[in-house]
Structure formats: structure tokens, C-alpha cells
Amino acid sequence: MLSEKIEKGLIKQLNRESESSQLYLSMAFWVEKKGYEGICEFLYDHSNEERIHMLKLVRYINKRGGNIVLNGISIINVTYQSLKELFIKLLGHEKKISQKINYLVEISLQEKDYFTYNFLQWYVEEQIEEEALIKTVLDKIELIGEDKGGLYFFDQNMKNFHKKKNCD
Ligand code: OFO
């Protein structure tokens, strides 16, 4: 059985993962409309990954006898001034998620819930990867700056990266 505190924390996290999925999805719309064929695939893909993060939590909470409540989520229709702004926001978002995961790890230790502590290690690893990935994309976008040709090639590279990833 999960303690009330852990159950509440995990349910909040699963709703955050669901929101993350919607956030990536809404960013993918925006990017696709701007004509970036590769970057939009990256964001659509990532939206699916966030859904998988949510499902992992759903399955774990159910296995431990918790009661899930889903928040109503509306698609976030935000527009951005630039790709750079979008990825800055995304990095900020992932950093916030990392803090929440760290907090959950902390309370799982306080509550001596070592099953949950162990379960959360996957998310800890994932956040390290995600922050690094978004930071790498942002660094590249900053490096390219106003160079439209550079941006075009970067977008094409992202498309190939996406194709390769789906074939591996
Ligand atoms: Fe992007 O993060 Fe899920 O956990």
C-alpha cells in the first residue's frame, strides 16, 4: 500500500507527465506550421514518450493499490517568437519536472517506501537524459543564430535522426 503522501505525489506527477505530453504536442503543431519538418518529428515523438512516462506511473500506482484521478487538460495553444524561445521554455519545463521528481524521491525516503524509491530511479535517469537532450538542441539553435541555411540543415538532420531512431 502507498502512504497518502506518496499516493498524492505520484498522482500529481502522472498528471504532470500528461501535461508534458500535451505541451510537446502543442509545440510540435507550432513548429510544423512553421515548416520545420525534422524538429516537429522530434517534438511529436517526445509527446509520445511523455505519455509513456504517464502510463508507467498509472501502472505502478494501480499495482500498489492507489486510486488515480486525472486532471482535465486542455491543449496549450501558445505561440513563440522563435525556435530559441520555444526550446528555452522546454528546458525550463524539464528542469521543473526534475525538481518534482527529486522531491518525490525525497519523500519516498522519508516515508521509507523503498519500492517507490526504486521505481523512481528510472525517472531520475530519464530526467538527466532529457535535460541534456533539450540543452543540446538549444545549444545548436543558438550556435546557428540567424543563419537560415544552417537552420535548414539542422532541421534536415533532425529528420534523419528521427528516421534512424525509428528504424533502429
Ligand atoms: Fe520530459 O519528462 Fe517525463 O518524466
Side-chain angles (χ1 to χ4, degrees), residues 49-137:
E49 281 187 26
E50 296 294 353
R51 186 166 184 278
I52 292 169
H53 299 174
M54 176 198 73
L55 286 175
K56 260 177 115 64
L57 277 151
V58 168
R59 306 301 298 268
Y60 178 74
I61 296 165
N62 276 342
K63 213 186 279 178
R64 302 282 318 274
N67 291 307
I68 293 167
V69 184
L70 284 179
N71 288 345
I73 295 165
S74 57
I75 293 192
I76 315 135
N77 277 319
V78 180
T79 57
Y80 306 91
Q81 294 299 318
S82 61
L83 271 181
K84 183 176 159 184
E85 187 200 343
L86 183 148
F87 277 93
I88 287 173
K89 291 220 164 111
L90 208 42
L91 185 59
H93 175 79
E94 287 299 348
K95 284 186 174 169
K96 220 184 293 162
I97 295 290
S98 299
Q99 280 173 8
K100 303 291 183 190
I101 296 289
N102 287 341
Y103 171 71
L104 283 171
V105 169
E106 198 181 308
I107 62 168
S108 68
L109 284 176
Q110 280 166 10
E111 300 276 302
K112 297 192 174 21
D113 181 345
Y114 301 112
F115 291 164
T116 298
Y117 174 82
N118 192 42
F119 169 76
L120 288 170
Q121 295 314 303
W122 184 88
Y123 287 85
V124 171
E125 281 293 320
E126 188 65 15
Q127 282 313 116
I128 296 170
E129 295 304 320
E130 296 212 335
E131 279 192 29
L133 180 63
I134 303 299
K135 173 90 173 58
T136 304
V137 176

